[in-house]
Amino acid sequence: MKHARVVHDGRTHAATEHDGQLLLDDGRLVGFEDVRWLPPLAPVARARTILALGLNYADHARELAFKAPEEPLVFVKGAGTLTGHRQFTRRPAGVQFMHYECELAVVIGRTAKKVRRDDAWDFIGGYTVANDYAIRDYLENWYRPNLRVKNRDTCTPLGPFLVDAADVPDPMNLALRTTVNGAVTQSGNTRDMVFDLPFLIEYFSSFMTLSPGDLILTGTPDGVVDCRHGDVVVTEIEHVGALVNTVQEESHTP
């Protein structure tokens, strides 16, 4: 099943996809164009943990002239970075290089502590598409991204849907693709991850507790390009969805 969170008629609704429309939690059917899309995550009664992988595709590491890491390169993101499908991401005025990153996002389904690799799939609730923009101007060190690179408000669109784990047959063999203004600029496959999903869940849960609703952003393949004001970026993952986002320079923001 595909789950969404949307705003319709001034109210926030949980929704599911139903024959090309959205079935709201009050029973109404509405069109995709009739709502404002939110990140497709149920509210949690605590701070949501968002873990993001850097250089988790060997080709992307080569693209940046680095070797693939021997241990996961991870940073933490704030919840304020998240925005929804068909929303705007702000590009700070004056920056020289801001690029998308098409990523499979794993949503934790139940509390995970000291999980063994062989059991890891049981702790995944579902998957969604993330576009984790990075501003390279602010990078202090490729191996130590500072807060401004990855933690600006609206810099991580998520969605459109949260797809139940059971409905994604082989998460480690999914095609990824990005287009900018309709032109294909990035393509890859999740099978090329340096650290696969079971490894990551075992690794993280060995020293920290993962809670329902937490996110793991699993990295991006090569093919990133600079995105400018007005660019429409579509990050798409097989069986999961196509996430649409528009870049808006801050000087143009109302």
Side-chain angles (χ1 to χ4, degrees):
M1 185 175 290
K2 295 181 177 180
H3 307 269
R5 286 183 62 79
V6 299
V7 176
H8 182 69
D9 287 342
R11 289 186 53 206
T12 300
H13 295 271
T16 55
E17 191 274 337
H18 182 80
D19 293 336
Q21 293 183 289
L22 290 171
L23 177 62
L24 302 182
D25 51 14
D26 62 7
R28 287 182 293 169
L29 277 172
V30 298
F32 290 175
E33 304 286 346
D34 299 327
V35 302
R36 178 167 62 86
W37 296 76
L38 303 174
L41 303 173
V44 292
R46 51 170 178 80
R48 190 187 307 276
T49 300
I50 305 172
L51 301 168
L53 274 290
L55 303 182
N56 197 34
Y57 285 74
D59 57 359
H60 184 51
R62 288 193 298 270
E63 179 182 35
L64 302 178
F66 284 95
K67 68 176 183 178
E70 297 178 0
E71 184 176 350
L73 171 64
V74 190
F75 51 94
V76 178
K77 295 174 64 69
T81 63
L82 301 180
T83 189
H85 175 55
R86 295 182 176 170
Q87 302 304 308
F88 291 92
T89 289
R90 296 193 295 273
R91 176 189 172 109
V95 303
Q96 297 301 307
F97 201 96
M98 172 176 160
H99 65 75
Y100 54 78
E101 293 186 2
C102 178
E103 306 197 21
L104 179 67
V106 174
V107 183
I108 298 299
R110 61 191 181 101
T111 302
K113 181 68 175 177
K114 297 188 182 304
V115 174
R116 296 181 304 173
R117 177 187 175 88
D118 290 346
D119 299 324
W121 297 112
D122 297 336
F123 292 83
I124 296 176
Y127 305 94
T128 188
V129 182
N131 179 357
D132 194 18
Y133 283 100
I135 302 171
R136 293 301 176 189
D137 301 53
Y138 300 153
L139 198 62
E140 295 174 348
N141 183 306
W142 286 108
Y143 286 95
R144 190 174 298 163
N146 69 22
L147 284 173
R148 293 195 300 165
V149 175
K150 288 282 193 174
N151 269 282
R152 300 184 71 86
D153 289 349
T154 76
C155 76
T156 309
L158 202 72
F161 295 103
L162 169 61
V163 182
D164 289 338
D167 294 330
V168 180
D170 188 358
M172 293 312 306
N173 187 22
L174 301 176
L176 300 86
R177 187 179 80 152
T178 301
T179 64
V180 179
N181 302 325
V184 177
T185 55
Q186 180 183 46
S187 62
N189 193 291
T190 58
R191 64 173 173 260
D192 296 325
M193 287 185 194
V194 178
F195 303 106
D196 64 13
L197 305 189
F199 177 93
L200 292 173
I201 290 174
E202 180 182 60
Y203 174 79
F204 289 129
S205 71
S206 70
F207 59 86
M208 64 185 292
T209 300
L210 302 175
S211 299
D214 287 348
L215 285 170
I216 303 174
L217 276 55
T218 57
T220 197
D222 69 350
V224 296
V225 300
D226 184 37
C227 296
R228 297 282 174 169
H229 175 72
D231 284 350
V232 177
V233 181
V234 180
T235 44
E236 183 172 4
I237 301 179
E238 183 181 10
H239 298 302
V240 182
L243 171 65
V244 180
N245 176 256
T246 301
V247 177
Q248 184 178 63
E249 190 167 324
E250 285 185 341
S251 60
H252 292 267
T253 304

